[in-house]
Amino acid sequence: MAGKIAIVGSNMVDLITYTDRMPLPGETIEAPRFEMGCGGKGANQAIAAARLGADVMMVTKVGDDIFADNTIRNFETSGIDTRFVERVPGTSSGVAPIFVEPSGENCILIVKGANAQLSPADVDRAADALKECDLILMQLEIPLETVYHTVAFGAEHGIETLVNPAPAPADLDSTKIEKATFLVPNQTELATISGMAVNSLADAEAAARSLIARGVKTVIVTLGGDGALLINGNDDAVHIDPVSVKPVDTTGAGDAFIGSFARYYAANRDVKAALEMAMRYAADSITRPGTQKSYASVQEFEKFCQSL
């Protein structure tokens, strides 16, 4: 069994421009290629988990524009439960213009659209189904009050929760996510949440331990090409080594990491083993262009692992 996972989070339409270089302020340049796809941190993590065989449920909102049908169809095609995907009249769907350089590095803007209307009441409407889940994932492309409410819901009902604090806003109240089972920031987000400088592995460990001291059970710091750092209240910090690949497009790699971690953790409750699989899955995803379309199926991922 791969476990049952819920995502209370965002969906976006990715508008991806591949460019030879980023334009300067006020400059117009020609870009060689454009693609459009389904994205958003919540949806990306849901798709990654579902591609790997997890039973996934999505709690999210879409607009009443041309993007909504495609977003819902994409969930359904991937086998994701869409009972709690709701349309919002008179509102756009979320969109994310993405700019990708030849190195694979990217810059992203997000427009929340209907995601901004996902409320605690929506979580309460899905309560019975959420109580059947092994793990609930959240990100910060939805209202913070909804994230806080979901973390509290999980703690009340004994359901493990994972918060990916991305993007980390200045007004994030870290005291309201301290009951999360897992907090998974990158270095920049960790610095924002902890209020500490994070310029090295030692800094990352110190900042993560400050969050453990506040009540978070486990902190997983994603370090990009340097792998990840696992810190909890019981053991020494564990460094998860990166997997070396030639990057084509790093867009969505963090979501691939979290979605695949959720899938493997929900199945076996082995955090380190799940992180090692997630590191491989994220590495595989950056060898192909795009976001969700770069996420491997079970068979594709097994082939990649055999090649290492």
Side-chain angles (χ1 to χ4, degrees), residues 71-148:
T71 295
I72 295 171
R73 183 165 55 249
N74 181 56
F75 287 145
E76 292 174 343
T77 300
S78 299
I80 293 171
D81 183 344
T82 60
R83 285 177 292 165
F84 303 102
V85 177
E86 182 177 302
R87 297 175 187 266
V88 182
T91 303
S92 73
S93 294
V95 296
I98 301 171
F99 305 90
V100 184
E101 293 186 301
S103 66
E105 290 300 316
N106 63 78
C107 295
I108 305 174
L109 298 171
I110 63 169
V111 179
K112 289 183 177 179
N115 294 294
Q117 297 191 39
L118 188 66
S119 70
D122 297 309
V123 176
D124 291 341
R125 278 193 288 273
D128 288 344
L130 289 171
K131 290 175 186 177
E132 298 175 356
C133 294
D134 299 298
L135 183 63
I136 303 173
L137 309 188
M138 289 151 280
Q139 317 76 31
L140 304 188
E141 292 177 338
I142 60 174
L144 289 176
E145 64 176 359
T146 305
V147 175
Y148 301 153

Side-chain angles (χ1 to χ4, degrees), residues 205-257:
E205 180 176 352
R209 290 200 183 281
S210 76
L211 299 178
I212 296 293
R214 297 181 199 174
V216 178
K217 293 181 181 178
T218 302
V219 179
I220 299 165
V221 187
T222 56
L223 304 169
D226 293 323
L229 196 63
L230 167 65
I231 305 98
N232 58 37
N234 302 318
D235 304 309
D236 293 334
V238 177
H239 182 245
I240 308 298
D241 291 329
V243 176
S244 180
V245 295
K246 183 178 180 180
V248 172
D249 182 357
T250 61
T251 309
D255 296 329
F257 179 88

